[in-house]
Amino acid sequence: MTTPAEAAVLKTATALSYVCGHREELAELLDESGSSLQQLAAEAGREVPSDSALVVLLDTLHAVIQHAGDPAGVYGGTGRSLIPVGVGDVEVVYRCPLRLCIGRSGPDADGVSPRCHFDPAGADLLRERLR
């Protein structure tokens, strides 16, 4: 059974994964300077990001995205899952080099190694083949 604390960590990690994987689309949707995205990226890119600050920034970004017309926001809705990547029938997963998010599955990467949009150096996500 998942504790409330574990569920909160998973919710944050899933939202960060979604933002990282859809950052360009979200920036276009927001049609702004991207300050919400930039603030989140700055916090996530810190050597030791604050969990509470990440939650506040994700909540703010979620509300801004919903206001811009995406009812699912960063926390998802139909079609998005809180099941971590690699739990289903996936052979390749890409893990976050910062260990902030749940990463992405192989099909989400479209054949190229995805980059971490929260890492100041823009490091590739870590490719892992599941057995």
Side-chain angles (χ1 to χ4, degrees):
M1 181 182 273
T2 304
T3 67
E6 291 169 332
V9 168
L10 183 56
K11 179 181 177 183
T12 299
T14 302
L16 285 169
S17 181
Y18 178 77
V19 172
C20 182
H22 296 88
R23 188 171 175 178
E24 293 164 7
E25 298 164 44
L26 295 174
E28 286 179 28
L29 174 68
L30 296 177
D31 193 30
E32 61 167 294
S33 63
S35 63
S36 328
L37 286 170
Q38 290 171 359
Q39 290 172 359
L40 180 61
E43 182 62 35
R46 291 180 51 183
E47 191 168 325
V48 181
S50 162
D51 291 340
S52 60
L54 288 174
V55 169
V56 168
L57 291 166
L58 281 168
D59 287 347
T60 300
L61 183 60
H62 178 71
V64 169
I65 289 170
Q66 285 184 317
H67 183 71
D70 179 356
V74 299
Y75 292 120
T78 306
R80 296 186 200 158
S81 173
L82 287 179
I83 298 171
V85 170
V87 173
D89 296 329
V90 179
E91 291 186 3
V92 175
V93 295
Y94 293 90
R95 292 183 295 113
C96 177
L98 303 178
R99 295 182 174 187
L100 287 175
C101 75
I102 62 169
R104 291 183 224 151
S105 64
D108 293 336
D110 296 330
V112 295
S113 183
R115 294 195 177 276
C116 177
H117 292 287
F118 297 121
D119 183 336
D124 287 344
L125 287 154
L126 306 171
R127 186 179 191 275
E128 183 176 298
R129 185 172 181 88
L130 300 177
R131 297 184 178 126

